[in-house]
Amino acid sequence: MPSFNYRGRNGAGEVVNGVMDGATAGAVADQLLGTGIRPLEITPAPETGGASGGLGVLGSIKLFKEKVQHIDILLFSRQLHTLLRAGVPIMRALAGLQESSHNPAMKEVLQDLRESLDSGRELSVAIARHPKIFTRFYVSMVRVGEATGRLEEIFLRLFDHMEFERFMREQVKSALRYPSFVVAAMVVAMVIVNIWVIPAFAKVFKGFNAELPLMTRILIGMSDFMVNWWWALLVGAVALVAGFVYWIRTRDGAYRWDKIKLSIPVAGNIVQKATLARFARAFAMASRSGVPIIQALSNVAATVDNDYISSKLEKMRDGVERGESILRTSITAGIFTPVVIQMIAVGEESGSLDDMMQEIADMYQSEVEYELKTLAQQIEPILIVMLGAMVLVLALGIFLPLWDLGKVAIK
């Protein structure tokens, strides 16, 4: 266990110094407070030792710094809800979470939260200091929990919401995995055929001393180009991928790519429904927690993970700011089905829009799960046509000359 040098004041106001073992500086501070010492400064104690001392610098170098993962925030929300519900003070709860965390990056975040709270900041303000880890929606919900005194309930709702988001992401990934694998396998097969199979047949065709069919000449030309210029194709492919990654990281590129994703046959429909399910559930949770509609739309728009749909939701927010109803703005957005629009109309008229949004989320989730179960049946016709076209081209290009040679030999 590491050691820390500390400096503090005891109950009589005298300055005391010493060394104490602890998992983290925060744990040492808690121990000092327990003994009646108010810590003023806590610093890591220098390591001593022969062999270990020689490797101290190299051992402290981290080639790959760990990051805070989605699962870390998920566990943080659930455990903090449990501790606050049990009556544990927030500072002690954060200290316990810091000691039990196995991710050094998460330990640093929790340490910063404790220091921020110790300096007089609110929890929502402390969390907002880490925008890459906690979303605007998360910060907004924590702020509402502080204002209403229901912070433990808010953390439970955040846990449920993040668990739902995680589930929907996994569902979408599983939806795209099968067609992506098949298309990749077809590309690999075409590369193998062009580099190894067609050149072998080309040597046989050269001995015919006859004019080859057009399709055969095209295949042989493509094969020769790939064999002779494979390095240029490889460089071009890498450049294309790098350019695509750079493009989708730009604002305009991300917007256009997210719009294109929704137009992909079969998979695009699943992605859109999963995204709208996340929106509806997040909006329902924010509305139930007392977040104003305009702020809820603004926060949810930043969390749907699709720039195209996010822009539509921001237009809905602008419409509500101008005094339009949720129904009118949802019709103008053009991303909801007539059934969903009808449910929004009923919810807005009856004053139970949050309940209707929750039902919309459940409906979209059920549709996503059903379409994932029938994905193989939906994608098979498209894949069969693609495979059939590839086999037809290869058959016409490779076996047609052999068939002509067989007819000549028979004659």
Side-chain angles (χ1 to χ4, degrees):
M1 184 175 293
S3 300
F4 294 86
N5 294 325
Y6 69 86
R7 184 171 64 88
R9 294 184 182 276
N10 56 21
E14 300 173 345
V15 177
V16 293
N17 300 280
V19 180
M20 180 174 291
D21 294 336
T24 61
V28 172
D30 289 338
Q31 295 180 47
L32 291 174
L33 290 173
T35 58
I37 298 176
R38 182 174 178 270
L40 300 176
E41 183 181 5
I42 300 176
T43 58
E47 296 183 0
T48 59
S52 61
L55 298 175
V57 176
L58 294 177
S60 62
I61 297 177
K62 294 184 179 180
L63 297 179
F64 302 99
K65 185 178 180 181
E66 294 189 49
K67 297 181 179 180
V68 178
Q69 305 294 331
H70 185 271
I71 186 65
D72 295 320
I73 306 301
L74 192 68
L75 293 175
F76 166 77
S77 304
R78 179 64 180 183
Q79 293 170 349
L80 196 56
H81 157 74
T82 303
L83 293 172
L84 293 178
R85 186 179 180 184
V88 179
I90 183 68
M91 291 295 291
R92 190 185 302 174
L94 292 175
L97 294 179
Q98 183 179 357
E99 292 181 14
S100 62
S101 177
H102 297 286
N103 189 340
M106 191 63 189
K107 285 179 178 289
E108 294 179 4
V109 173
L110 292 172
Q111 177 64 27
D112 183 76
L113 294 181
R114 294 179 59 198
E115 293 175 354
S116 297
L117 292 178
D118 193 42
S119 63
R121 295 189 180 96
E122 295 181 345
L123 181 60
S124 58
V125 177
I127 289 177
R129 287 162 52 89
H130 303 274
K132 294 184 178 180
I133 300 174
F134 300 99
T135 62
R136 287 192 330 187
F137 179 77
Y138 197 103
V139 175
S140 176
M141 293 301 298
V142 172
R143 187 177 294 115
V144 170
E146 290 174 331
T148 58
R150 298 184 300 173
L151 195 58
E152 68 280 357
E153 180 182 344
I154 291 297
F155 277 113
L156 179 60
R157 291 185 178 182
L158 284 170
F159 168 79
D160 293 335
H161 173 68
M162 295 181 68
E163 183 68 20
F164 173 78
E165 283 193 330
R166 182 185 179 190
F167 170 77
M168 296 306 295
R169 284 197 187 98
E170 293 299 325
Q171 294 283 69
V172 172
K173 287 181 181 179
S174 64
L176 300 176
R177 189 177 297 120
Y178 175 64
S180 300
F181 175 78
V182 174
V183 172
M186 292 177 61
V187 172
V188 172
M190 290 297 296
V191 171
I192 293 176
V193 168
N194 278 280
I195 292 180
W196 285 286
V197 178
I198 294 181
F201 280 95
K203 294 179 181 179
V204 177
F205 295 156
K206 288 181 181 179
F208 288 176
N209 295 322
E211 184 179 358
L212 299 174
L214 176 61
M215 185 62 66
T216 305
R217 295 199 302 270
I218 293 176
L219 289 179
I220 292 177
M222 293 177 58
S223 176
D224 291 339
F225 179 80
M226 183 172 290
V227 171
N228 296 325
W229 297 91
W230 62 267
W231 56 271
L233 293 174
L234 182 61
V235 172
V238 173
L240 185 63
V241 172
F244 175 76
V245 172
Y246 174 79
W247 178 64
I248 63 176
R249 288 182 178 178
T250 62
R251 185 174 183 85
D252 182 65
Y255 175 86
R256 293 181 181 276
W257 172 239
D258 286 339
K259 185 177 181 180
I260 292 173
K261 284 193 296 187
L262 302 180
S263 303
I264 299 175
V266 183
N269 191 34
I270 297 176
V271 173
Q272 180 175 3
K273 289 182 178 180
T275 304
L276 292 178
R278 292 173 56 197
F279 153 72
R281 187 178 180 90
F283 183 87
M285 188 182 75
S287 180
R288 288 175 176 175
S289 301
V291 180
I293 292 180
I294 296 177
Q295 182 181 351
L297 287 172
S298 178
N299 293 334
V300 172
T303 62
V304 294
D305 200 21
N306 186 291
D307 284 1
Y308 175 73
I309 294 181
S310 177
S311 66
K312 297 293 185 180
L313 297 178
E314 289 176 354
K315 291 180 180 179
M316 289 179 60
R317 178 205 60 195
D318 296 339
V320 174
E321 285 182 336
R322 294 192 300 266
E324 299 179 8
S325 63
I326 293 291
L327 174 61
R328 184 179 181 84
T329 56
S330 61
I331 295 174
T332 306
I335 56 177
F336 300 103
T337 62
V339 175
V340 173
I341 291 177
Q342 185 177 1
M343 295 175 68
I344 293 176
V346 173
E348 190 172 25
E349 185 176 354
S350 61
S352 57
L353 185 60
D354 51 350
D355 294 333
M356 281 299 172
M357 282 293 183
Q358 183 63 48
E359 292 187 15
I360 291 172
D362 295 339
M363 182 187 69
Y364 274 134
Q365 180 179 350
S366 300
E367 291 183 5
V368 169
E369 293 177 355
Y370 173 77
E371 293 196 12
L372 286 174
K373 292 179 181 178
T374 60
L375 177 64
Q377 300 175 4
Q378 299 179 55
I379 206 72
E380 277 178 2
I382 301 175
L383 297 179
I384 289 174
V385 171
M386 294 173 63
L387 288 172
M390 185 177 68
V391 171
L392 178 62
V393 171
L394 293 176
L396 292 176
I398 295 178
F399 298 108
L400 188 59
L402 297 178
W403 183 55
D404 292 340
L405 180 61
K407 291 195 299 183
V408 172
I410 293 176
K411 294 179 179 179

